[in-house]
Amino acid sequence: MDLRRSSIVLLILSILSPATLSMRYELLSGHTKCISEEIHANAMSVGKYTIVNPNEDHHPLPDSHKITVRVTSPQGTAYHEADGVSTGQFSLTAVETGDYITCISAVDHKPETMLTVDFDWRSGVHTKDWSNVAKKSQVEVK
């Protein structure tokens, strides 16, 4: 019986595990990195991206630190396009099930520059910020 309970708990945890892709990576100017996420039809997906400022908070990002971002469906439909940006976000509701692709390209710059990109992509129920949703027991009736 303990094996069955353990299997059920493991199954529940795998179902409830976050569909979140959060990463930080380096991208050389003039190069592209693509990331795919399988999303089911009618599921909501949100993402945000930011170039990490190498000069701390005291200086603005250099002009060399710009990216182009494209998010496409499995059939190639563009859901988001941004050119020459240092930060941004996107949201979409999937029309079809399949691998949605986000490609981030660093603007070509001489001399070559290494960019550090923070990227966060959430799909399904994980797009909701549940920490800000009031619990029924916390709501006051007036």
Side-chain angles (χ1 to χ4, degrees):
M1 191 65 159
D2 286 330
L3 182 59
R4 185 175 178 181
R5 284 185 189 160
S6 297
S7 297
I8 292 172
V9 169
L10 190 58
L11 177 63
I12 290 170
L13 287 175
S14 67
I15 291 171
L16 296 177
S17 66
T20 301
L21 179 64
S22 185
M23 64 175 67
R24 176 178 276 193
Y25 61 90
E26 292 185 332
L27 184 61
L28 191 60
S29 59
H31 290 81
T32 300
K33 179 161 184 87
C34 295
I35 300 142
S36 68
E37 178 73 17
E38 183 177 358
I39 303 174
H40 295 283
N42 300 316
M44 176 127 190
S45 186
V46 296
K48 62 182 175 179
Y49 48 88
T50 303
I51 298 176
V52 177
N53 190 341
N55 298 319
E56 305 290 325
D57 294 328
H58 304 292
H59 302 285
L61 274 172
D63 290 336
S64 60
H65 285 59
K66 300 292 182 191
I67 55 176
T68 296
V69 181
R70 304 225 188 297
V71 180
T72 56
S73 74
Q75 299 300 316
T77 304
Y79 276 88
H80 175 76
E81 296 181 80
D83 292 318
V85 298
S86 58
T87 188
Q89 56 191 359
F90 61 87
S91 66
L92 63 96
T93 300
V95 175
E96 57 201 341
T97 297
D99 288 333
Y100 286 71
I101 300 171
T102 299
C103 289
I104 299 176
S105 303
V107 173
D108 196 15
H109 189 269
K110 300 296 181 214
E112 288 184 329
T113 303
M114 185 65 73
L115 307 180
T116 302
V117 180
D118 278 340
F119 182 70
D120 185 54
W121 197 351
R122 299 171 188 257
S123 297
V125 296
H126 305 289
T127 59
K128 183 73 172 171
D129 183 4
W130 293 106
S131 62
N132 291 328
V133 176
K135 295 180 182 175
K136 186 177 181 181
S137 62
Q138 294 174 331
V139 177
E140 293 181 25
V141 179
K142 293 186 179 186

